[in-house]
Amino acid sequence: MLAMNYRGPKRVRIEEKPMPEILHPEDAIVRVLRSCICGSDLHLYNGNVPDTRVGTTFGHEFVGEIVEIGSEVTKVKVGDNVLVPFNISCGKCVFCKQELYGNCHESNPEATAVGAIYGYSHTAGGYHGGQAEYVRVPYANVGPTIIPPGMDLDDAVLLTDVVPTGYQAAEMGGIQKGDTVMVFGAGPIGIMAAKCSWLFGAGRVIIIDKEEYRLEFARNYAQCEAYNFEEIGDIAVFAKKTTDSLGADVCIDAVGAEAAGNAMQTITGRKLLLQAGSATALHWAINCVKKGGIVSIVGVYGPTDNLVPIGNVLNKGLTIRANQASVKRLLPRLIEHVQNGIINPKALITHRLPLEEVAEGYRMFSNKLDNCIKPVLIPPSAKI
Amino acid sequence: MEDNRPLEDNMPFENNRGPADHSHIKGWGIDADPKNDPTYPMKKRTNGEHEGYTWERPTQQPVNMEILHSIERPNVTAVFGTAAPLRGLSGAIRRMAFKNSENVYSHWLPLIMADRVDMVEGIIDDFKHGKIPNIFAEKGYVAEWNYNKTGLLARVAIVAGITAAVVLLARSNSRD
Ligand SMILES: [Zn+2]
Ligand SMILES: [Zn+2]
């Protein structure tokens, strides 16, 4: 089968790889119909996440058809079309029982903080991902969710990460009616977080980025205010000035490790890899939020130490909430929203590429070529 | 005259709240919940957490290859990935890294180093299998060429310029 193959920083190629096999009685094999490249794939692509091994297939956002199941799989059957949440969760451990599906304790041997993620660094379990024709899906009784009849595959694939993560970013903000929400990063997740903030009753939603085309997209899609941080001068002063000098009620970091905008952070975080990515967006979020406000983090950081203004967190009495999205918990509600036309996920997709052009896809997304917001890959074995 | 001061200088200290009526936004307030205070997942606690590591574990996937596991847990998880088995020098470095917990730099920094070694091992491996890696294609330069010709040409020109300067410098030195 064809699959993406990571060869080192900024080098990926398409290659013949062995078909995935059932290795555990709760495994399923899925024939991929759509997969996406995600902003967090770029952290891997750039070589910024420890234990990203050569030979790995990336891709944690995919939908497909079940073609084979293990002996203990009962909840899905061969022929089902499923969307597969990006987290691999057992459904039995204490964290899964608490609906913390992103923190499962039985899927990722390499680390204890996070559960497993498809197609990620080995510190997320060492699983191949969905930028391939076929993929192994463990714990098939828990993760895979049957795509409701009539739902567009392009909508479904965005329900594996982008929509739930954006939604949870807003949810973790504890947004109350009338709150001012400031979102850092106008990538797909940031745009979705801005959009979902309205569902929680935000009174005002502001998004910050430096790419004009993304800001324009956010303005239209999420109906929010959008500002270019390269034009507004000091971001903390800006935040205070536009909020009666107090700060936003909720700040969302939807950027993570690869933030631009602060030379010191860029050098120590992105070039020297001495911290888990440049914490610029987090820094800004903490300094722009109101005292007693909430900072919600969904931007991914590597696991090493970070130079964050933690003193400010203490002094301002902040509550910081952060997690990988609990996709499964959120899916029923989000599927409803999509079916009722309240969220239109596929509108984020700007590029559709054959899987064979995966290297170009990464280059385009990573270098923001051709106004790329969200690229989707389509394997040759899936009819477009 | 155009005002070129940064946006923030032009803004008074006040809340430009925008429209108070959000009826044009589909779904506004649909998930509003005054109890959506930051208590999730605490509100889902069942006290089962106090029982510790006692849940009925899923069937163990046969451990038939070397799997590194965090020393902050007693065992390998019930399932695990087999994407890229340990190999060579990079594997040895990773093994060392996993002697330390996730709490310390000496776990993470060696892993990043191992990744760089792994990359070189990957190239050697390609050659061993008679495959010359097509770096131009792997780096997706076709896309760069299609959508950012000037940027790509500028970069090529800079590299060529530096090369030329180095060559000239070397020549002038050799004449001395
Ligand atoms: Zn993703
Ligand atoms: Zn679990």
Side-chain angles (χ1 to χ4, degrees):
Chain A
M1 66 150 187
L2 286 180
M4 173 270 200
N5 185 334
Y6 172 73
R7 304 309 299 171
K10 293 193 163 42
R11 283 178 53 218
V12 302
R13 68 187 180 218
I14 192 81
E15 215 163 64
E16 273 295 321
K17 281 190 173 182
M19 281 287 289
E21 286 167 30
I22 302 274
L23 301 174
H24 182 270
E26 288 177 69
D27 281 359
I29 306 295
V30 167
R31 179 172 73 92
V32 177
L33 297 170
R34 296 276 186 290
S35 66
C36 295
I37 305 178
C38 173
S40 41
D41 288 327
L42 298 183
H43 306 324
L44 304 172
Y45 178 68
N46 291 327
N48 288 348
V49 184
D51 214 356
T52 302
R53 297 188 195 166
V54 167
T56 307
T57 296
F58 295 170
H60 57 267
E61 302 177 1
F62 61 92
V63 295
E65 181 197 357
I66 305 253
V67 291
E68 196 185 341
I69 52 173
S71 58
E72 287 176 26
V73 175
T74 54
K75 298 272 168 69
V76 287
K77 55 184 192 310
V78 170
D80 284 346
N81 274 4
V82 290
L83 66 92
V84 182
F86 73 88
N87 2 66
I88 302 175
S89 11
C90 75
K92 287 186 174 158
C93 72
V94 67
F95 304 110
C96 283
K97 285 212 177 105
Q98 235 180 313
E99 297 185 310
L100 290 166
Y101 296 106
N103 307 86
C104 175
H105 214 62
E106 291 288 5
S107 57
N108 175 14
E110 282 213 13
T112 52
V114 69
I117 300 170
Y118 292 97
Y120 216 69
S121 140
H122 271 58
T123 57
Y127 297 86
H128 281 306
Q131 291 166 11
E133 290 187 285
Y134 294 88
V135 60
R136 170 193 173 211
V137 171
Y139 297 131
N141 290 326
V142 183
T145 301
I146 293 177
I147 300 174
M151 180 180 278
D152 194 317
L153 290 180
D154 287 349
D155 281 328
V157 76
L158 291 179
L159 282 166
T160 62
D161 180 357
V162 175
V163 180
T165 299
Y167 186 89
Q168 189 174 308
E171 184 198 43
M172 289 194 299
I175 296 169
Q176 300 295 304
K177 275 194 174 167
D179 276 358
T180 294
V181 181
M182 218 165 155
V183 181
F184 295 88
I189 303 278
I191 293 171
M192 194 52 73
K195 173 101 185 152
C196 292
S197 293
W198 295 121
L199 307 186
F200 290 93
R204 197 175 164 201
V205 181
I206 303 167
I207 198 164
I208 306 286
D209 200 276
K210 76 177 171 108
E211 299 290 341
E212 277 304 328
Y213 79 90
R214 305 216 292 186
L215 291 167
E216 193 50 38
F217 195 100
R219 256 177 226 124
N220 293 328
Y221 183 84
Q223 295 154 288
C224 63
E225 300 167 50
Y227 298 100
N228 190 325
F229 67 73
E230 289 182 333
E231 277 166 23
I232 57 179
D234 187 313
I235 191 116
V237 175
F238 170 81
K240 304 296 158 60
K241 281 200 172 186
T242 188
T243 55
D244 291 335
S245 85
L246 298 179
D249 299 285
V250 177
C251 278
I252 295 172
D253 170 2
V255 180
E258 305 216 49
N262 178 311
M264 184 68 171
Q265 292 276 1
T266 301
I267 293 166
T268 58
R270 292 166 70 193
K271 303 296 177 200
L272 300 176
L273 303 180
L274 287 177
Q275 49 167 346
S278 60
T280 309
L282 177 56
H283 195 123
W284 289 352
I286 291 169
N287 290 345
C288 292
V289 78
K290 191 182 273 180
K291 285 180 264 198
I294 295 173
V295 171
S296 163
I297 307 169
V298 285
V300 176
Y301 291 90
T304 40
D305 293 329
N306 254 106
L307 308 169
V308 295
I310 196 72
N312 291 358
V313 177
L314 177 80
N315 288 339
K316 293 173 79 172
L318 302 186
T319 302
I320 289 200
R321 308 183 69 201
N323 211 341
Q324 301 277 358
S326 214
V327 177
K328 188 184 161 70
R329 173 174 64 84
L330 301 168
L331 271 180
R333 183 63 169 161
L334 293 175
I335 287 174
E336 220 176 292
H337 283 336
V338 173
Q339 287 176 329
N340 294 335
I342 285 165
I343 301 176
N344 175 12
K346 67 167 177 280
L348 289 175
I349 296 173
T350 51
H351 290 75
R352 305 164 64 84
L353 305 164
L355 177 64
E356 294 92 317
E357 288 175 24
V358 67
E360 284 78 39
Y362 271 88
R363 169 66 61 168
M364 281 176 72
F365 192 36
S366 139
N367 286 12
K368 304 186 172 74
L369 302 175
D370 196 30
N371 292 348
C372 185
I373 300 272
K374 187 77 179 169
V376 164
L377 300 167
I378 299 151
S381 41
K383 311 273 174 304
I384 296 187
Chain B
M1 206 187 100
E2 208 190 332
D3 190 344
N4 285 325
R5 285 175 303 167
L7 194 51
E8 54 160 285
D9 287 356
N10 303 322
M11 290 174 57
F13 270 93
E14 65 176 62
N15 193 346
N16 320 332
R17 274 186 190 85
D21 174 19
H22 296 98
S23 56
H24 63 294
I25 292 172
K26 211 168 176 190
W28 185 81
I30 197 170
D31 290 328
D33 174 3
K35 289 205 237 34
N36 180 28
D37 54 8
T39 51
Y40 191 89
M42 284 77 97
K43 66 184 173 193
K44 288 279 177 181
R45 287 180 65 131
T46 59
N47 286 334
E49 297 75 34
H50 299 147
E51 286 158 27
Y53 192 4
T54 54
W55 56 86
E56 185 206 335
R57 296 193 64 206
T59 316
Q60 178 67 51
Q61 176 180 341
V63 185
N64 48 14
M65 61 188 287
E66 182 182 6
I67 293 297
L68 298 173
H69 74 84
S70 167
I71 60 172
E72 294 178 38
R73 53 174 299 126
N75 49 19
V76 170
T77 46
V79 309
F80 51 85
T82 55
L86 295 176
R87 64 168 175 194
L89 180 60
S90 63
I93 301 170
R94 296 195 209 282
R95 240 171 250 129
M96 261 170 43
F98 272 81
K99 292 202 161 63
N100 303 308
S101 81
E102 299 158 62
N103 187 38
V104 290
Y105 255 130
S106 50
H107 179 72
W108 301 111
L109 287 183
L111 286 176
I112 288 179
M113 197 167 71
D115 288 348
R116 301 299 172 266
V117 174
D118 197 10
M119 180 189 73
V120 176
E121 285 174 331
I123 292 173
I124 296 171
D125 199 53
D126 274 346
F127 277 110
K128 263 198 216 155
H129 290 88
K131 185 180 177 97
I132 300 160
N134 182 347
I135 308 274
F136 186 87
E138 288 176 355
K139 287 190 178 246
Y141 276 127
V142 175
E144 196 77 46
W145 177 253
N146 286 341
Y147 299 106
N148 185 24
K149 262 191 198 84
T150 45
L152 186 63
L153 288 174
R155 234 178 301 161
V156 171
I158 290 167
V159 173
I162 293 170
T163 316
V166 170
V167 169
L168 285 175
L169 206 69
R171 277 201 197 147
S172 68
N173 282 347
S174 63
R175 247 179 255 137
D176 293 339

